Amino acid sequence: MPFYFNSLSAPLFVHWEVTEFCNHRCQYCYNFWRSDKKYKTAEQKKVIPHDVYSRVVNEIIKHKIYKVIVTGGEPLSVFDSIYPYLLRLHEHGVLLNINSNLTLLTDDMAEKISKLRIPILTSLQSYDEKTTNMLTQSPNAYKRIILGIKRARKYKIGIAVNMVISQKNIDHIFQTAKLAKELGASKFSVTKACRPLSCQDFSDFILTPSQLRYAFAELRRVEKEIGIEVDSLSSYPVCLFEKQEDYEHFGEKRCSAGRNSIAIGVKGDIRPCPHLSESYGNISEGLASAWEKMVSWRDYSYLPKKCKTCFFASVCRGGCKAEVLANKYKIKDPDPFADFSRALCVHPRKNESLDMGSITKDKTYFFPTNFFIRKESFGGLLFNGKSEAYVNDALYWFIVKHAKESVLLQDIAKALRTSQEKAKRTLAYLYRMEMLVESKS
């Protein structure tokens, strides 16, 4: 439904960079290579832009943003300053996540984070202490990360561990995942090191397509043998995948840059993605103005010519644009990891087609109360944490009115002023997207 998607009034997610200071100097980090040196000193973390913080929070609440990922820099370096703003977002029902290396976590911070039930995504470069310290360029990083994870788990904070993989640690995946599980992490993910925009030579880090495929296989082995949930936080071109199981595990993640997420910098600049430097406006002008300027990220303006005939074009869209721009290509070029040399080796999941046969007029259904719903000009947006669904105005108001009631096929047909046969398609769509559940009573 491209019209609905392009007409969203606001993003679903915001990556909020509350500081550009970090006590680590990770060699692959996009912040590490920024030319603006003034954020590199500890003194700069004392400069707290409360006016920007306030505007950001006001705009997030105003536009009914689903989730805010608090990031940086290292957000715990300014935790006391951002805590009142986190409280306000929490009070307005905004889901919060924190990205942190956890080395600065104190008992007081942990207690406050635990009470707000904010999960933390932390970065662990390797199970090997020497490798971790080398990649972070911090002599005690490994020990402090481990202590931070243990302290977070002491306060029952949900922890997911992410490992940025590169030539330096590609063979450390399994052992690092094992350590993460032992420390109490509920999830283990990898992110491929992406060349920072201003980095001239990233050859010591960049992975090859075959190494990425090796990483996918290792993650599946981790899931099977260690028993921890696995994921990859990067988006990939579909033609990179050679195995169906790898595609179904890691290839269906869509790039959200400017499509349903944005990044807001410490000065209030609004960008499509944390890895991109181009600003589309400032929070002082409001969020809506910058969001409207990003429409080319939501339509097919940046779809590479080579990808236009591909079945997966609407999902993949040519891969990661940050990867494209960082490698000095034009924005309409395909991801450097795209492989056009062979036929596609994967196919869509069988359950992607609508199962209309299971929808009958004698069954009753109900709408779960745990999904997010937001009014839009075309009707409404539904989101359950995994899938988005777009509905017209009549269906939006029907869902709002009957959110806690059982409904029948004929009720939907009446609300949409259509036949029961056509209403079946709507119910099947909502059922597949897990926005509708069959009543068993």
Side-chain angles (χ1 to χ4, degrees):
M1 299 184 181
F3 171 76
Y4 288 170
F5 193 83
N6 297 345
S7 303
L8 285 181
S9 61
L12 272 170
F13 309 98
V14 167
H15 298 267
W16 183 20
E17 298 170 346
V18 294
T19 179
E20 289 194 7
F21 166 80
C22 187
N23 57 325
H24 286 176
R25 298 268 290 168
C26 299
Q27 297 179 38
Y28 48 76
C29 180
Y30 57 90
N31 280 317
F32 175 77
W33 300 99
R34 284 186 177 168
S35 58
D36 192 348
K37 303 290 186 183
K38 69 180 181 179
Y39 289 100
K40 308 307 179 188
T41 64
E43 193 67 26
Q44 283 299 312
K45 73 178 180 180
K46 297 178 182 178
V47 181
I48 305 300
H50 285 285
D51 56 333
V52 177
Y53 286 174
S54 182
R55 290 192 191 105
V56 169
V57 169
N58 288 341
E59 287 293 297
I60 287 169
I61 293 170
K62 173 184 175 181
H63 291 281
K64 296 185 177 180
I65 306 298
Y66 171 75
K67 181 189 286 186
V68 172
I69 299 96
V70 183
T71 183
E74 173 48 57
L76 296 190
S77 69
V78 293
F79 182 79
D80 289 343
S81 297
I82 64 172
Y83 179 65
Y85 303 98
L86 300 185
L87 269 177
R88 185 157 178 250
L89 290 171
H90 177 75
E91 289 166 356
H92 281 81
V94 179
L95 291 184
L96 297 168
N97 280 66
I98 294 176
N99 292 352
S100 168
N101 61 38
L102 286 178
T103 60
L104 303 179
L105 184 69
T106 64
D107 287 310
D108 180 62
M109 291 180 195
E111 186 175 5
K112 290 176 179 176
I113 292 169
S114 179
K115 285 181 179 178
L116 295 182
R117 297 184 179 180
I118 304 175
I120 295 177
L121 175 69
T122 194
S123 183
L124 181 59
Q125 289 72 15
S126 172
Y127 73 95
D128 177 66
E129 182 173 358
K130 183 178 179 181
T131 302
T132 298
N133 294 343
M134 178 269 293
L135 287 171
T136 59
Q137 299 192 95
S138 178
N140 298 310
Y142 178 84
K143 291 179 180 178
R144 296 181 69 188
I145 292 170
I146 300 300
L147 287 173
I149 294 174
K150 289 180 177 179
R151 177 168 281 144
R153 291 303 300 138
K154 172 185 172 184
Y155 287 87
K156 296 182 171 55
I157 297 171
I159 294 293
V161 169
N162 180 61
M163 177 184 179
V164 178
I165 53 174
S166 67
Q167 295 283 356
K168 306 287 186 180
N169 61 354
I170 183 66
D171 56 343
H172 295 196
I173 293 174
F174 189 86
Q175 292 297 328
T176 306
K178 185 178 179 181
L179 174 59
K181 175 69 180 294
E182 291 170 353
L183 290 170
S186 60
K187 188 174 183 178
F188 178 78
S189 59
V190 301
T191 304
K192 71 178 187 303
C194 179
R195 177 179 176 175
L197 286 172
S198 57
C199 174
Q200 298 302 313
D201 183 9
F202 203 58
S203 58
D204 288 344
F205 294 88
I206 196 71
L207 296 171
T208 65
S210 62
Q211 286 176 317
L212 276 177
R213 296 179 190 118
Y214 163 79
F216 300 147
E218 281 292 272
L219 283 174
R220 287 191 289 106
R221 184 165 77 98
V222 164
E223 187 174 51
K224 181 179 179 181
E225 297 182 19
I226 298 178
I228 187 172
E229 183 182 351
V230 298
D231 197 4
S232 175
L233 303 187
S234 305
S235 60
Y236 306 96
V238 174
C239 52
L240 168 70
F241 293 90
E242 291 183 340
K243 295 182 178 180
Q244 182 69 21
E245 56 265 39
D246 287 344
Y247 163 68
E248 292 186 1
H249 267 77
F250 315 111
E252 295 178 329
K253 187 179 296 296
R254 304 184 184 192
C255 173
S256 63
R259 299 176 67 188
N260 59 16
S261 72
I262 58 171
I264 302 179
V266 69
K267 296 179 182 179
D269 56 297
I270 301 174
R271 314 188 310 278
C273 166
H275 289 269
L276 299 174
S277 59
E278 183 180 2
S279 172
Y280 285 72
N282 192 278
I283 201 68
S284 61
E285 303 158 357
L287 187 150
S289 175
W291 181 248
E292 288 174 9
K293 294 175 185 176
M294 292 183 195
V295 69
S296 55
W297 287 84
R298 297 188 286 282
D299 59 24
Y300 292 90
S301 296
Y302 299 149
L303 182 67
K305 288 183 179 179
K306 288 185 177 181
C307 302
K308 288 186 176 179
T309 58
C310 178
F311 177 85
F312 292 95
S314 62
V315 176
C316 173
R317 301 201 179 196
C320 174
K321 294 303 175 185
E323 193 80 67
V324 170
L325 295 173
N327 283 279
K328 312 303 180 184
Y329 297 116
K330 295 179 180 179
I331 197 165
K332 290 186 179 181
D333 289 335
D335 189 307
F337 287 96
D339 186 353
F340 301 106
S341 64
R342 53 179 172 76
L344 280 174
C345 299
V346 299
H347 54 78
R349 292 175 185 256
K350 291 181 180 179
N351 64 1
E352 284 187 357
S353 59
L354 296 178
D355 181 13
M356 295 174 60
S358 63
I359 306 295
T360 60
K361 64 180 181 180
D362 59 324
K363 292 181 180 179
T364 58
Y365 304 89
F366 67 92
F367 300 101
T369 57
N370 61 345
F371 66 71
F372 169 82
I373 184 167
R374 186 174 73 195
K375 187 71 180 75
E376 297 287 347
S377 60
F378 54 78
L381 163 69
L382 282 62
F383 184 69
N384 61 7
K386 298 184 295 182
S387 306
E388 301 160 29
Y390 307 92
V391 299
N392 63 22
D393 206 55
L395 187 52
Y396 169 81
W397 288 114
F398 181 86
I399 293 172
V400 170
K401 183 178 179 180
H402 299 280
K404 297 182 180 180
E405 302 172 10
S406 296
V407 298
L408 299 166
L409 172 63
Q410 46 267 43
D411 296 328
I412 298 288
K414 183 178 179 180
L416 299 181
R417 297 182 180 180
T418 188
S419 66
Q420 290 189 22
E421 193 59 33
K422 289 184 178 179
K424 273 187 179 182
R425 189 169 194 80
T426 299
L427 262 72
Y429 168 67
L430 293 174
Y431 191 81
R432 188 189 73 184
M433 304 297 280
E434 300 180 22
M435 309 294 181
L436 188 75
V437 179
E438 183 181 341
S439 176
K440 301 298 181 182
S441 61

